Structure formats: structure tokens, C-alpha cells
Amino acid sequence: MKIGLFDSGLGGLVVLKAVVKQLPDYDYEYYGDTKHVPYGGRAEEEIYELTKAGVIHLFERDCALVIIACNTASAETLRRLQDEFLPEEYPTRKILGVIIPVIEEVVNSECKRVLMFATQRTVSSGKYHLELGKRNEIDTKIEAVATPELVPLLEVGNIAGASAIAQALIDERLLDGGEVEGLILGCTHYTLLTDKLREAYGDRIKIFSQAEIIPERIDDYLMRHM
């Protein structure tokens, strides 16, 4: 079986590498839409059409399962693709996103004050908060911060520059007396910051990195459904 992974750029390659390490017995195909990166500032309908085009490409390359690693696309278009597109065009294929696995990990961690860095579209969609609300976790609070400046830096490999911006945002909240128990890296590009942020904050802040969460969840899904 072949698994496809779609992202709006190159950030999803980090997740793909982690998935391949966890599940080496599958074949893989990657589609990174570097022509249109970033998705965070685009209109919802445009995000849908771009994501659908990527998914079709992966299905035509014989992928039975496609992971939408782009958080913006997961927030804006995943449900529509699952409910409208799949039944009509590819009824035997599956599409999964990355937001629900992260929320489940946050809930399991019992962190109550969580900061999230994401694109403007992911923040404005409220999808992370919606999924948290479905689990009735009224004591867990997520502060979502739009950080569109990080994606262009990470696309060109400027991890140090992106990390400096991320740390400044975290430190600002800590200096103001804010409680930050966890940090969601709510964009696949941001997984590249995991090591530097852990070096900076150690056990003080739990980092929720999709490159660590998604492989385990795909493994579990495949065992239960495919």
C-alpha cells in the first residue's frame, strides 16, 4: 500500500521522514505545493482547490491514504474533502488531517495552559478550539498566535531566525506572568523548531510536535482500519 503526504511546502518532509521511520514497510509519495506556499493568507476556496489538486495528484499516483499535513488545509478543507469530494470521486480512498491527533495529545498531557503558533488561517478557523471543545476540556486553554513570518524563514532554512522570533513570543508571555505549560507547533514547518525550543526551555514547556505525534497516530489508524 502507498501512503501520500500533502503539504503547502517543504515543512511536511520532516513529518514524512518521521512516518517512514515509524512505518518502513509502506510505499510513500510526497506532494509539496511550493508554488503557492504559504497557504495561511489565502482565501478558503483557493485553499480548497489547491489542496484538492494535491490530493488528486496523490490518488492518481496510487496512494490509498493521503495525510494532509498542512494545518491550514486541515482546518479549512479537510471535512469538505471527506464529506463531498471522496464519496463522489474516490469512495475507496481515505484522507486524514493532523489537528485531531494533536488535540488528543494535548488532552492526554493534562496541560492546562497551552500556547499555539500557527498561520492566520489556522488561527481564524478556530478548528483547534472546536476539537478541544468536543472533548469537554473546559479547564484547558489554548492561546492561538498567528505567526506568518515563520514559514518563509523555515522554507529557506533559516531555523535560527525563526527560533529567535518564536522564543521572543514565548518569553514575552512568561515575563508578563503568563502560564505556558505547553506549546503546539501548529504548522508542519514549525516542527523544524522542536529541538531548538526544547534546548531553550527544557522540561519547563512541553512541545507538541507533529513530526512526533502523527507517525504514532497513523500507525494506530492503519492497524484499526486498513
Side-chain angles (χ1 to χ4, degrees):
M1 189 183 86
K2 182 183 281 189
I3 299 172
L5 195 141
F6 169 83
D7 193 21
S8 60
L10 300 178
L13 288 172
V14 180
V15 176
L16 177 62
K17 182 179 179 180
V19 173
V20 172
K21 183 177 180 180
Q22 176 81 18
L23 299 165
D25 296 331
Y26 293 90
D27 295 324
Y28 295 92
E29 187 87 16
Y30 184 80
Y31 184 100
D33 187 10
T34 54
K35 182 178 179 180
H36 299 103
V37 69
Y39 278 15
R42 297 185 181 275
E44 181 177 348
E45 189 62 26
E46 185 180 12
I47 295 168
Y48 175 77
E49 292 298 332
L50 291 171
T51 304
K52 184 173 72 170
V55 169
I56 290 173
H57 172 84
L58 291 168
F59 282 158
E60 292 301 308
R61 298 284 292 176
D62 296 324
C63 295
L65 169 67
V66 170
I67 310 300
I68 297 180
C70 175
N71 283 258
T72 301
S74 287
E76 296 285 355
T77 72
L78 175 63
R79 182 59 64 189
R80 184 176 168 188
L81 288 169
Q82 290 171 329
D83 292 347
E84 300 176 13
F85 169 71
L86 276 187
E88 292 290 330
E89 302 294 336
Y90 296 93
T92 64
R93 310 294 178 93
K94 303 293 183 184
I95 305 175
L96 300 177
V98 294
I99 292 177
I100 291 176
V102 174
I103 286 297
E104 290 174 344
E105 194 73 15
V106 170
V107 170
N108 291 338
S109 75
E110 298 184 350
C111 289
K112 299 304 180 184
R113 296 294 181 270
V114 180
L115 186 62
M116 180 177 78
F117 295 153
T119 66
Q120 183 60 59
R121 293 297 298 186
T122 299
V123 171
S124 62
S125 76
K127 185 67 174 178
Y128 274 89
H129 295 86
L130 177 64
E131 293 299 333
L132 183 64
K134 289 179 180 178
R135 287 151 184 81
N136 199 32
E137 292 294 320
I138 58 175
D139 292 331
T140 301
K141 306 298 182 185
I142 296 176
E143 180 190 353
V145 179
T147 49
E149 65 272 34
L150 297 182
V151 172
L153 291 172
L154 293 169
E155 276 285 311
V156 298
N158 189 353
I159 296 175
S163 179
I165 293 172
Q167 288 183 53
L169 290 169
I170 295 169
D171 292 344
E172 178 184 338
R173 280 152 181 81
L174 294 174
L175 287 172
D176 288 343
E179 295 180 75
V180 181
E181 297 176 75
L183 172 66
I184 297 171
L185 298 175
C187 172
T188 48
H189 289 79
Y190 300 176
T191 59
L192 294 165
L193 300 175
T194 303
D195 290 342
K196 282 201 170 291
L197 293 178
R198 285 204 174 121
E199 288 175 9
Y201 300 101
D203 295 333
R204 186 178 181 186
I205 298 175
K206 181 173 179 59
I207 308 295
F208 297 97
S209 173
Q210 292 174 352
E212 297 168 350
I213 296 168
I214 300 306
E216 293 283 348
R217 295 310 176 100
I218 295 176
D219 194 0
D220 179 66
Y221 178 86
L222 292 172
M223 287 191 294
R224 290 187 291 112
H225 297 288
M226 302 186 78

mmCIF file of all heavy atoms in Angstrom, residues 135-172:
data_model
loop_
_atom_site.group_PDB
_atom_site.id
_atom_site.type_symbol
_atom_site.label_atom_id
_atom_site.label_comp_id
_atom_site.label_asym_id
_atom_site.label_seq_id
_atom_site.Cartn_x
_atom_site.Cartn_y
_atom_site.Cartn_z
ATOM 1 N N ARG A 135 -14.265 17.672 23.271
ATOM 2 C CA ARG A 135 -13.801 16.756 24.314
ATOM 3 C C ARG A 135 -14.108 17.276 25.715
ATOM 4 O O ARG A 135 -13.674 16.694 26.701
ATOM 5 C CB ARG A 135 -12.308 16.498 24.125
ATOM 6 C CG ARG A 135 -12.037 15.614 22.931
ATOM 7 C CD ARG A 135 -10.698 15.861 22.262
ATOM 8 N NE ARG A 135 -10.569 15.020 21.071
ATOM 9 C CZ ARG A 135 -11.097 15.310 19.885
ATOM 10 N NH1 ARG A 135 -11.767 16.431 19.721
ATOM 11 N NH2 ARG A 135 -10.952 14.488 18.863
ATOM 12 N N ASN A 136 -14.835 18.392 25.776
ATOM 13 C CA ASN A 136 -15.315 18.950 27.041
ATOM 14 C C ASN A 136 -14.176 19.248 28.008
ATOM 15 O O ASN A 136 -14.326 19.091 29.229
ATOM 16 C CB ASN A 136 -16.331 17.995 27.694
ATOM 17 C CG ASN A 136 -17.196 18.700 28.726
ATOM 18 O OD1 ASN A 136 -17.488 19.890 28.588
ATOM 19 N ND2 ASN A 136 -17.603 17.991 29.745
ATOM 20 N N GLU A 137 -13.052 19.696 27.437
ATOM 21 C CA GLU A 137 -11.895 20.022 28.277
ATOM 22 C C GLU A 137 -11.967 21.508 28.653
ATOM 23 O O GLU A 137 -11.204 22.339 28.170
ATOM 24 C CB GLU A 137 -10.605 19.699 27.525
ATOM 25 C CG GLU A 137 -10.371 18.228 27.304
ATOM 26 C CD GLU A 137 -10.132 17.473 28.596
ATOM 27 O OE1 GLU A 137 -9.436 18.002 29.490
ATOM 28 O OE2 GLU A 137 -10.656 16.353 28.716
ATOM 29 N N ILE A 138 -12.882 21.835 29.545
ATOM 30 C CA ILE A 138 -13.145 23.246 29.839
ATOM 31 C C ILE A 138 -12.006 23.911 30.611
ATOM 32 O O ILE A 138 -11.890 25.134 30.619
ATOM 33 C CB ILE A 138 -14.468 23.406 30.620
ATOM 34 C CG1 ILE A 138 -14.416 22.604 31.925
ATOM 35 C CG2 ILE A 138 -15.643 22.966 29.772
ATOM 36 C CD1 ILE A 138 -15.644 22.819 32.800
ATOM 37 N N ASP A 139 -11.165 23.121 31.262
ATOM 38 C CA ASP A 139 -10.064 23.696 32.029
ATOM 39 C C ASP A 139 -8.811 23.919 31.190
ATOM 40 O O ASP A 139 -7.869 24.566 31.638
ATOM 41 C CB ASP A 139 -9.720 22.793 33.216
ATOM 42 C CG ASP A 139 -10.826 22.752 34.258
ATOM 43 O OD1 ASP A 139 -11.551 23.760 34.368
ATOM 44 O OD2 ASP A 139 -10.974 21.725 34.933
ATOM 45 N N THR A 140 -8.782 23.346 29.999
ATOM 46 C CA THR A 140 -7.628 23.515 29.118
ATOM 47 C C THR A 140 -7.839 24.719 28.215
ATOM 48 O O THR A 140 -8.862 24.819 27.540
ATOM 49 C CB THR A 140 -7.410 22.254 28.254
ATOM 50 O OG1 THR A 140 -7.205 21.125 29.111
ATOM 51 C CG2 THR A 140 -6.204 22.423 27.344
ATOM 52 N N LYS A 141 -6.891 25.626 28.217
ATOM 53 C CA LYS A 141 -6.992 26.841 27.423
ATOM 54 C C LYS A 141 -5.852 26.882 26.401
ATOM 55 O O LYS A 141 -4.694 26.649 26.744
ATOM 56 C CB LYS A 141 -6.914 28.086 28.308
ATOM 57 C CG LYS A 141 -7.930 28.106 29.451
ATOM 58 C CD LYS A 141 -9.361 28.100 28.949
ATOM 59 C CE LYS A 141 -10.343 28.161 30.117
ATOM 60 N NZ LYS A 141 -11.753 28.042 29.661
ATOM 61 N N ILE A 142 -6.216 27.178 25.154
ATOM 62 C CA ILE A 142 -5.224 27.338 24.097
ATOM 63 C C ILE A 142 -5.208 28.800 23.652
ATOM 64 O O ILE A 142 -6.240 29.340 23.260
ATOM 65 C CB ILE A 142 -5.531 26.433 22.884
ATOM 66 C CG1 ILE A 142 -5.431 24.958 23.273
ATOM 67 C CG2 ILE A 142 -4.573 26.745 21.730
ATOM 68 C CD1 ILE A 142 -5.815 24.008 22.149
ATOM 69 N N GLU A 143 -4.049 29.423 23.752
ATOM 70 C CA GLU A 143 -3.880 30.769 23.216
ATOM 71 C C GLU A 143 -3.240 30.654 21.841
ATOM 72 O O GLU A 143 -2.074 30.277 21.707
ATOM 73 C CB GLU A 143 -2.987 31.623 24.120
ATOM 74 C CG GLU A 143 -2.792 33.031 23.574
ATOM 75 C CD GLU A 143 -1.734 33.825 24.315
ATOM 76 O OE1 GLU A 143 -1.228 33.344 25.353
ATOM 77 O OE2 GLU A 143 -1.396 34.923 23.832
ATOM 78 N N ALA A 144 -4.019 30.935 20.813
ATOM 79 C CA ALA A 144 -3.533 30.801 19.442
ATOM 80 C C ALA A 144 -2.924 32.113 18.960
ATOM 81 O O ALA A 144 -3.553 33.163 19.047
ATOM 82 C CB ALA A 144 -4.676 30.379 18.523
ATOM 83 N N VAL A 145 -1.710 32.044 18.450
ATOM 84 C CA VAL A 145 -0.992 33.228 17.970
ATOM 85 C C VAL A 145 -0.616 33.017 16.507
ATOM 86 O O VAL A 145 0.054 32.037 16.161
ATOM 87 C CB VAL A 145 0.285 33.476 18.800
ATOM 88 C CG1 VAL A 145 1.033 34.693 18.278
ATOM 89 C CG2 VAL A 145 -0.059 33.641 20.279
ATOM 90 N N ALA A 146 -1.063 33.920 15.650
ATOM 91 C CA ALA A 146 -0.702 33.848 14.235
ATOM 92 C C ALA A 146 0.755 34.274 14.058
ATOM 93 O O ALA A 146 1.151 35.344 14.505
ATOM 94 C CB ALA A 146 -1.619 34.738 13.409
ATOM 95 N N THR A 147 1.531 33.420 13.419
ATOM 96 C CA THR A 147 2.959 33.694 13.222
ATOM 97 C C THR A 147 3.328 33.482 11.754
ATOM 98 O O THR A 147 4.119 32.596 11.418
ATOM 99 C CB THR A 147 3.812 32.780 14.122
ATOM 100 O OG1 THR A 147 3.351 31.415 13.964
ATOM 101 C CG2 THR A 147 3.695 33.161 15.576
ATOM 102 N N PRO A 148 2.763 34.285 10.844
ATOM 103 C CA PRO A 148 3.004 34.083 9.415
ATOM 104 C C PRO A 148 4.451 34.303 8.999
ATOM 105 O O PRO A 148 4.876 33.820 7.944
ATOM 106 C CB PRO A 148 2.080 35.115 8.755
ATOM 107 C CG PRO A 148 1.902 36.179 9.792
ATOM 108 C CD PRO A 148 1.884 35.444 11.105
ATOM 109 N N GLU A 149 5.200 35.019 9.817
ATOM 110 C CA GLU A 149 6.590 35.314 9.461
ATOM 111 C C GLU A 149 7.506 34.097 9.559
ATOM 112 O O GLU A 149 8.622 34.098 9.022
ATOM 113 C CB GLU A 149 7.140 36.443 10.342
ATOM 114 C CG GLU A 149 7.252 36.109 11.825
ATOM 115 C CD GLU A 149 5.983 36.408 12.619
ATOM 116 O OE1 GLU A 149 4.890 36.250 12.060
ATOM 117 O OE2 GLU A 149 6.101 36.773 13.798
ATOM 118 N N LEU A 150 7.055 33.046 10.239
ATOM 119 C CA LEU A 150 7.924 31.888 10.435
ATOM 120 C C LEU A 150 8.067 31.020 9.193
ATOM 121 O O LEU A 150 9.150 30.490 8.918
ATOM 122 C CB LEU A 150 7.396 31.032 11.597
ATOM 123 C CG LEU A 150 7.370 31.688 12.980
ATOM 124 C CD1 LEU A 150 6.883 30.696 14.019
ATOM 125 C CD2 LEU A 150 8.741 32.229 13.353
ATOM 126 N N VAL A 151 6.982 30.828 8.441
ATOM 127 C CA VAL A 151 7.021 29.909 7.297
ATOM 128 C C VAL A 151 8.054 30.320 6.252
ATOM 129 O O VAL A 151 8.874 29.486 5.829
ATOM 130 C CB VAL A 151 5.627 29.748 6.660
ATOM 131 C CG1 VAL A 151 5.723 28.951 5.360
ATOM 132 C CG2 VAL A 151 4.685 29.031 7.619
ATOM 133 N N PRO A 152 8.086 31.582 5.802
ATOM 134 C CA PRO A 152 9.109 31.949 4.802
ATOM 135 C C PRO A 152 10.539 31.715 5.292
ATOM 136 O O PRO A 152 11.405 31.303 4.510
ATOM 137 C CB PRO A 152 8.838 33.432 4.562
ATOM 138 C CG PRO A 152 7.407 33.628 4.932
ATOM 139 C CD PRO A 152 7.167 32.702 6.083
ATOM 140 N N LEU A 153 10.777 31.965 6.561
ATOM 141 C CA LEU A 153 12.116 31.733 7.109
ATOM 142 C C LEU A 153 12.475 30.250 7.087
ATOM 143 O O LEU A 153 13.585 29.869 6.707
ATOM 144 C CB LEU A 153 12.198 32.265 8.544
ATOM 145 C CG LEU A 153 12.149 33.785 8.716
ATOM 146 C CD1 LEU A 153 12.035 34.143 10.193
ATOM 147 C CD2 LEU A 153 13.366 34.448 8.098
ATOM 148 N N LEU A 154 11.528 29.418 7.484
ATOM 149 C CA LEU A 154 11.793 27.981 7.545
ATOM 150 C C LEU A 154 11.887 27.357 6.155
ATOM 151 O O LEU A 154 12.618 26.389 5.956
ATOM 152 C CB LEU A 154 10.707 27.297 8.385
ATOM 153 C CG LEU A 154 10.742 27.676 9.873
ATOM 154 C CD1 LEU A 154 9.492 27.189 10.584
ATOM 155 C CD2 LEU A 154 11.991 27.106 10.548
ATOM 156 N N GLU A 155 11.146 27.897 5.203
ATOM 157 C CA GLU A 155 11.221 27.392 3.823
ATOM 158 C C GLU A 155 12.624 27.559 3.248
ATOM 159 O O GLU A 155 13.054 26.753 2.422
ATOM 160 C CB GLU A 155 10.207 28.112 2.940
ATOM 161 C CG GLU A 155 8.815 27.535 2.986
ATOM 162 C CD GLU A 155 8.692 26.232 2.204
ATOM 163 O OE1 GLU A 155 9.135 26.164 1.041
ATOM 164 O OE2 GLU A 155 8.136 25.265 2.767
ATOM 165 N N VAL A 156 13.347 28.592 3.684
ATOM 166 C CA VAL A 156 14.707 28.813 3.161
ATOM 167 C C VAL A 156 15.769 28.321 4.138
ATOM 168 O O VAL A 156 16.956 28.584 3.954
ATOM 169 C CB VAL A 156 14.934 30.304 2.835
ATOM 170 C CG1 VAL A 156 13.979 30.756 1.761
ATOM 171 C CG2 VAL A 156 14.807 31.190 4.075
ATOM 172 N N GLY A 157 15.357 27.615 5.190
ATOM 173 C CA GLY A 157 16.305 27.005 6.109
ATOM 174 C C GLY A 157 16.831 27.893 7.207
ATOM 175 O O GLY A 157 17.813 27.543 7.880
ATOM 176 N N ASN A 158 16.189 29.043 7.431
ATOM 177 C CA ASN A 158 16.651 29.968 8.475
ATOM 178 C C ASN A 158 16.007 29.581 9.809
ATOM 179 O O ASN A 158 15.138 30.284 10.333
ATOM 180 C CB ASN A 158 16.298 31.409 8.104
ATOM 181 C CG ASN A 158 16.942 32.420 9.035
ATOM 182 O OD1 ASN A 158 17.560 32.049 10.044
ATOM 183 N ND2 ASN A 158 16.799 33.693 8.721
ATOM 184 N N ILE A 159 16.438 28.469 10.351
ATOM 185 C CA ILE A 159 15.869 27.958 11.598
ATOM 186 C C ILE A 159 16.229 28.872 12.765
ATOM 187 O O ILE A 159 15.410 29.113 13.659
ATOM 188 C CB ILE A 159 16.349 26.518 11.863
ATOM 189 C CG1 ILE A 159 15.826 25.586 10.757
ATOM 190 C CG2 ILE A 159 15.893 26.029 13.238
ATOM 191 C CD1 ILE A 159 16.330 24.170 10.849
ATOM 192 N N ALA A 160 17.450 29.398 12.767
ATOM 193 C CA ALA A 160 17.877 30.274 13.864
ATOM 194 C C ALA A 160 17.007 31.525 13.924
ATOM 195 O O ALA A 160 16.584 31.955 15.010
ATOM 196 C CB ALA A 160 19.342 30.644 13.695
ATOM 197 N N GLY A 161 16.726 32.126 12.780
ATOM 198 C CA GLY A 161 15.896 33.329 12.755
ATOM 199 C C GLY A 161 14.472 33.054 13.202
ATOM 200 O O GLY A 161 13.891 33.833 13.973
ATOM 201 N N ALA A 162 13.908 31.950 12.724
ATOM 202 C CA ALA A 162 12.545 31.585 13.114
ATOM 203 C C ALA A 162 12.478 31.249 14.596
ATOM 204 O O ALA A 162 11.530 31.612 15.296
ATOM 205 C CB ALA A 162 12.061 30.411 12.274
ATOM 206 N N SER A 163 13.501 30.559 15.103
ATOM 207 C CA SER A 163 13.534 30.197 16.517
ATOM 208 C C SER A 163 13.616 31.430 17.399
ATOM 209 O O SER A 163 12.986 31.498 18.464
ATOM 210 C CB SER A 163 14.721 29.271 16.797
ATOM 211 O OG SER A 163 14.792 28.932 18.162
ATOM 212 N N ALA A 164 14.376 32.438 16.971
ATOM 213 C CA ALA A 164 14.503 33.679 17.750
ATOM 214 C C ALA A 164 13.151 34.373 17.877
ATOM 215 O O ALA A 164 12.793 34.881 18.949
ATOM 216 C CB ALA A 164 15.519 34.601 17.093
ATOM 217 N N ILE A 165 12.376 34.392 16.796
ATOM 218 C CA ILE A 165 11.042 35.005 16.834
ATOM 219 C C ILE A 165 10.132 34.217 17.771
ATOM 220 O O ILE A 165 9.408 34.797 18.590
ATOM 221 C CB ILE A 165 10.440 35.059 15.417
ATOM 222 C CG1 ILE A 165 11.235 36.032 14.547
ATOM 223 C CG2 ILE A 165 8.971 35.465 15.465
ATOM 224 C CD1 ILE A 165 10.840 36.008 13.084
ATOM 225 N N ALA A 166 10.155 32.889 17.645
ATOM 226 C CA ALA A 166 9.305 32.040 18.491
ATOM 227 C C ALA A 166 9.644 32.218 19.966
ATOM 228 O O ALA A 166 8.746 32.351 20.817
ATOM 229 C CB ALA A 166 9.454 30.575 18.083
ATOM 230 N N GLN A 167 10.940 32.247 20.287
ATOM 231 C CA GLN A 167 11.341 32.393 21.684
ATOM 232 C C GLN A 167 10.944 33.765 22.231
ATOM 233 O O GLN A 167 10.570 33.881 23.409
ATOM 234 C CB GLN A 167 12.838 32.178 21.812
ATOM 235 C CG GLN A 167 13.261 30.727 21.628
ATOM 236 C CD GLN A 167 14.749 30.520 21.838
ATOM 237 O OE1 GLN A 167 15.304 30.917 22.858
ATOM 238 N NE2 GLN A 167 15.400 29.899 20.875
ATOM 239 N N ALA A 168 11.029 34.779 21.404
ATOM 240 C CA ALA A 168 10.637 36.119 21.854
ATOM 241 C C ALA A 168 9.154 36.150 22.220
ATOM 242 O O ALA A 168 8.760 36.767 23.222
ATOM 243 C CB ALA A 168 10.942 37.143 20.769
ATOM 244 N N LEU A 169 8.325 35.479 21.447
ATOM 245 C CA LEU A 169 6.889 35.432 21.732
ATOM 246 C C LEU A 169 6.605 34.659 23.021
ATOM 247 O O LEU A 169 5.748 35.047 23.818
ATOM 248 C CB LEU A 169 6.152 34.791 20.557
ATOM 249 C CG LEU A 169 6.093 35.619 19.275
ATOM 250 C CD1 LEU A 169 5.574 34.773 18.117
ATOM 251 C CD2 LEU A 169 5.220 36.849 19.467
ATOM 252 N N ILE A 170 7.325 33.560 23.210
ATOM 253 C CA ILE A 170 7.154 32.776 24.434
ATOM 254 C C ILE A 170 7.621 33.566 25.648
ATOM 255 O O ILE A 170 6.927 33.652 26.674
ATOM 256 C CB ILE A 170 7.929 31.448 24.334
ATOM 257 C CG1 ILE A 170 7.349 30.567 23.223
ATOM 258 C CG2 ILE A 170 7.884 30.698 25.671
ATOM 259 C CD1 ILE A 170 8.207 29.368 22.875
ATOM 260 N N ASP A 171 8.810 34.156 25.542
ATOM 261 C CA ASP A 171 9.386 34.892 26.668
ATOM 262 C C ASP A 171 8.522 36.089 27.059
ATOM 263 O O ASP A 171 8.415 36.435 28.245
ATOM 264 C CB ASP A 171 10.798 35.365 26.327
ATOM 265 C CG ASP A 171 11.784 34.212 26.200
ATOM 266 O OD1 ASP A 171 11.448 33.099 26.667
ATOM 267 O OD2 ASP A 171 12.861 34.414 25.618
ATOM 268 N N GLU A 172 7.893 36.717 26.068
ATOM 269 C CA GLU A 172 7.013 37.846 26.345
ATOM 270 C C GLU A 172 5.878 37.435 27.272
ATOM 271 O O GLU A 172 5.531 38.159 28.210
ATOM 272 C CB GLU A 172 6.446 38.376 25.028
ATOM 273 C CG GLU A 172 5.472 39.539 25.190
ATOM 274 C CD GLU A 172 4.877 39.965 23.863
ATOM 275 O OE1 GLU A 172 5.494 39.684 22.816
ATOM 276 O OE2 GLU A 172 3.796 40.586 23.861
#
